Amino acid sequence: MKVVVIGAQWGDEGKGKIVDYLANEAQIIVRYAGGANAGHTIVIGGEEYALHLIPSGVFYPDKIVILGAGMVIDPVALFSEIKMLEDRGIDTTGRVFISDRAHIVLPRYIQIDKERDAARKKPIGTTGRGIGITYSMKSDRDGIRIADLTWKEKMAELEKEDRDFLAPYTDKLLAMSIDLSSYLVHRKNSQVLFEGAQGTLLDLDLGTYPYVSSGMSCAAGAAVGGCIGPRAIDKVLGVFKAYSTRVGNGPLPSEFDPDAEDELCRFVRDTGREYGVTTGRPRRCGYLDLVSLRYACLTNSIDSLVMTHLDVYDTFEEIKACTAYRIGDRIVENFPASIEDLNNAKPVLRSFPGWKKSLASALTYEEFPVAAMEYIEFIERFCETPIDIVSVGYDRKATIIRKSPWTR
């Protein structure tokens, strides 16, 4: 069975924790897009780990993890991450592989990335990790892949500084490389989990362009970056937070008012630890945007949703969610492509009673307070998609499974 986990918002939804949790029942975990611009925080028994490139399933000693064809790999970041894991007792030997079709991030791309974003009249707010430049080089057919490291003519075309940079990494990268399509075909009976990066609303085509990432963070990207056909995907899970966040520039229609709701924003940001794993930047926060969430469900054929950070609302008397946008004199119920419309959108909010009780002690969904269940069930009806998993904390055990994604 092949299950895809994507972000259903602007990234940072808690995909890393969910992939780590679900990986227990998988044999292979494939990250299919993005690069070291992503950041996944995993908490196991109180120990916190930050991953940027390696799939979250690496913490299970019997799992194979693969960096897919749609990824862009910074060798420095990759081997630093491997060393961090090894130093903390996680043996990665013979368990971490890279698709030979994945592209490589070169140091000069990082410098170009920073300079290009700074020169924009309206900076996008990239992480400055060279990700967009690497994808641009790939589209221009001037990039270099793992497979190209053995192509003498191609290597000779590179700048000397590039060849010098790659020299100490070449053998190690080649030793980890595999033909991903062939690898998965020979393991067709395995449970495979495909891990997305960023979120649907940062996808190059489906997102709030140009304030997007450069890769395919939608569910369709799993077929391309994971080297499988789209009909091989059995299930798509969309992860979303009980509120909205965004890093960097671009529209966030349900964002808290910085003047009237500054205290609310600070509470959500601090309680939810809303600071970038990769950049450390504070995330912009807002009400749960059900308009964009429903759009994500439709454009990704999401079979079920995974809700995270619900516990952030434990002390609230009242909870609000955005159910439409007011744009000028119009009420808009669908997610528009126009950035101007999104920038001018004001959230139409619906209120829900809070539950004023900690969710941390709940072991089953039925133990949730009635108000929490009513909030969840309204979201299900609005998005016409079931919420099968609810996370109420950072640790693995703080996860409520209503229906396992490994069931057909």
Side-chain angles (χ1 to χ4, degrees), residues 70-130:
M71 289 189 67
V72 291
I73 313 297
D74 179 344
V76 175
L78 174 62
F79 290 107
S80 294
E81 199 162 296
I82 289 173
K83 184 178 185 303
M84 177 274 292
L85 291 170
E86 296 284 351
D87 288 347
R88 296 183 68 177
I90 308 298
D91 185 9
T92 65
T93 307
R95 296 198 298 118
V96 181
F97 297 102
I98 309 172
S99 167
D100 55 10
R101 287 177 164 81
H103 278 246
I104 299 172
V105 180
L106 297 172
R108 59 188 174 89
Y109 296 173
I110 297 172
Q111 186 60 34
I112 294 169
D113 188 5
K114 293 176 181 176
E115 292 172 355
R116 183 171 294 182
D117 201 46
R120 288 186 171 103
K121 290 183 179 179
K122 292 186 177 179
I124 292 170
T126 74
T127 59
R129 299 297 179 100

Side-chain angles (χ1 to χ4, degrees), residues 97-363:
F97 297 102
I98 309 172
S99 167
D100 55 10
R101 287 177 164 81
H103 278 246
I104 299 172
V105 180
L106 297 172
R108 59 188 174 89
Y109 296 173
I110 297 172
Q111 186 60 34
I112 294 169
D113 188 5
K114 293 176 181 176
E115 292 172 355
R116 183 171 294 182
D117 201 46
R120 288 186 171 103
K121 290 183 179 179
K122 292 186 177 179
I124 292 170
T126 74
T127 59
R129 299 297 179 100
I131 307 303
I133 301 302
T134 309
Y135 277 117
S136 295
M137 298 294 281
K138 175 180 178 177
S139 296
D140 287 341
R141 289 146 301 181
D142 289 322
I144 181 163
R145 306 171 303 162
I146 300 294
D148 299 331
L149 294 172
T150 60
W151 184 7
K152 292 182 180 179
E153 184 180 355
K154 180 67 177 179
M155 294 296 288
E157 293 174 0
L158 295 178
E159 302 285 342
K160 183 179 183 300
E161 64 178 299
D162 296 336
R163 294 197 300 273
D164 289 346
F165 167 74
L166 289 169
Y169 297 110
T170 297
D171 289 343
K172 291 192 287 185
L173 289 169
L174 289 172
M176 298 166 67
S177 73
I178 58 171
D179 177 340
L180 180 53
S181 176
S182 176
Y183 186 91
L184 293 178
V185 164
H186 287 97
R187 293 158 181 81
K188 59 185 178 183
N189 294 323
S190 295
Q191 304 265 66
V192 185
L193 194 58
F194 291 89
E195 176 183 13
Q198 287 81 48
T200 291
L201 302 176
L202 293 177
D203 181 83
L204 187 59
D205 294 299
L206 299 179
T208 51
Y209 186 90
Y211 301 99
V212 293
S213 189
S214 299
M216 295 180 70
S217 48
C218 60
V224 180
C227 296
I228 58 171
R231 288 191 295 174
I233 296 172
D234 295 294
K235 193 168 287 187
V236 177
L237 274 62
V239 184
F240 76 102
K241 276 190 285 215
Y243 48 90
S244 298
T245 65
R246 179 166 195 159
V247 173
N249 298 327
L252 183 63
S254 63
E255 187 167 12
F256 296 136
D257 186 301
D259 297 319
E261 298 171 319
D262 178 62
E263 186 176 343
L264 173 61
C265 182
R266 281 190 284 110
F267 178 86
V268 170
R269 180 181 289 146
D270 292 343
T271 306
R273 297 197 276 184
E274 298 298 347
Y275 296 88
V277 178
T278 300
T279 63
R281 288 182 291 184
R283 296 174 185 143
R284 298 157 59 195
C285 299
Y287 298 105
L288 174 61
D289 186 340
L290 291 174
V291 179
S292 64
L293 183 59
R294 180 169 58 191
Y295 168 77
C297 290
L298 292 171
T299 53
N300 290 280
S301 297
I302 290 175
D303 294 290
S304 68
L305 288 163
V306 179
M307 187 180 202
T308 66
H309 289 66
L310 184 59
D311 53 302
V312 169
Y313 286 147
D314 281 352
T315 61
F316 281 45
E317 293 281 356
E318 180 184 56
I319 296 162
K320 294 180 182 180
C322 170
T323 57
Y325 304 144
R326 186 180 299 278
I327 304 174
D329 58 358
R330 296 178 292 139
I331 296 296
V332 177
E333 296 181 340
N334 295 320
F335 191 72
S338 167
I339 296 300
E340 186 174 23
D341 278 352
L342 288 170
N343 282 336
N344 291 325
K346 302 298 180 185
V348 176
L349 299 174
R350 173 166 176 155
S351 297
F352 303 84
W355 43 90
K356 299 288 289 180
K357 180 181 179 181
S358 173
L359 299 177
S361 60
L363 299 177

